[in-house]
Amino acid sequence: MTILTAIGEELSSNKILEVGYDLATTYDEQLVVLHVIPKEEFNSHKSAVKDSPGAENFTISREAESAAEIARQAVHESLDEYDFDRIEPRGSVGDPTEKILSEVDRSDPQFLVIGGKQRSPVGKAIFGSTAQSLLLNASCPVVLASKG
């Protein structure tokens, strides 16, 4: 089994990664760190570089590699000490909720660790649509860690 930690684009994923890594070491599991680039962002990037040299090489698989690199960089910047052999950065392109749930189905993690945004007292009752969908639809226990 694994511990799956899904991170966003911002590198304020420190707490999420710390929680994921703590679970991975506690349960002696592999930590999969997944970053999903939304399809809209991919299309926007592709449009922006369409006239640039090498634009024909701008593919979803290359963007997924970029997403995995973002995950790798987030680990490096968020964790002071870690066993790199325990961590597997992964990247994907598409709807974040769908891609994270797909990864849950594929890897059958012991836990899914996700982030929750700081919200007002009323907003705390209603999570963001991605977090809420993951909490309601993941087939494994979900750990909601506050970002920070």
Side-chain angles (χ1 to χ4, degrees):
M1 291 192 113
T2 62
I3 305 297
L4 175 60
T5 300
I7 62 167
E9 179 117 338
E10 70 285 340
L11 289 178
S12 63
S13 304
N14 300 28
K15 187 65 176 172
I16 302 163
L17 285 165
E18 288 172 11
V19 169
Y21 190 74
D22 285 348
L23 286 168
T25 55
T26 299
Y27 290 100
D28 195 25
E29 299 286 359
Q30 188 76 10
L31 175 64
V32 174
V33 179
L34 176 66
H35 174 62
V36 179
I37 295 176
K39 181 77 172 194
E40 304 79 41
E41 286 184 31
F42 168 75
N43 290 335
S44 164
H45 293 160
K46 188 170 184 173
S47 293
V49 299
K50 71 177 181 178
D51 295 328
S52 302
E56 64 279 355
N57 295 328
F58 194 82
T59 63
I60 286 182
S61 62
R62 288 219 184 218
E63 191 77 343
E65 290 171 14
S66 294
E69 184 56 37
I70 290 169
R72 187 175 295 106
Q73 186 66 30
V75 167
H76 178 70
E77 292 184 14
S78 298
L79 300 175
D80 293 329
E81 294 181 25
Y82 60 93
D83 174 5
F84 192 77
D85 292 334
R86 182 180 295 279
I87 299 172
E88 183 180 342
R90 292 187 188 164
S92 189
V93 177
D95 176 80
T97 302
E98 289 176 14
K99 293 296 184 175
I100 294 167
L101 289 173
S102 181
E103 184 64 32
V104 166
D105 290 343
R106 188 171 74 85
S107 63
D108 190 29
Q110 188 165 355
F111 294 99
L112 168 62
V113 182
I114 61 172
K117 296 177 181 173
Q118 297 280 336
R119 297 194 182 267
S120 67
V122 172
K124 287 180 182 178
I126 303 171
F127 298 107
S129 60
T130 299
Q132 183 173 345
S133 293
L134 293 171
L135 285 165
L136 294 172
N137 297 303
S139 59
C140 66
V142 178
V143 177
L144 183 64
S146 64
K147 297 178 183 178

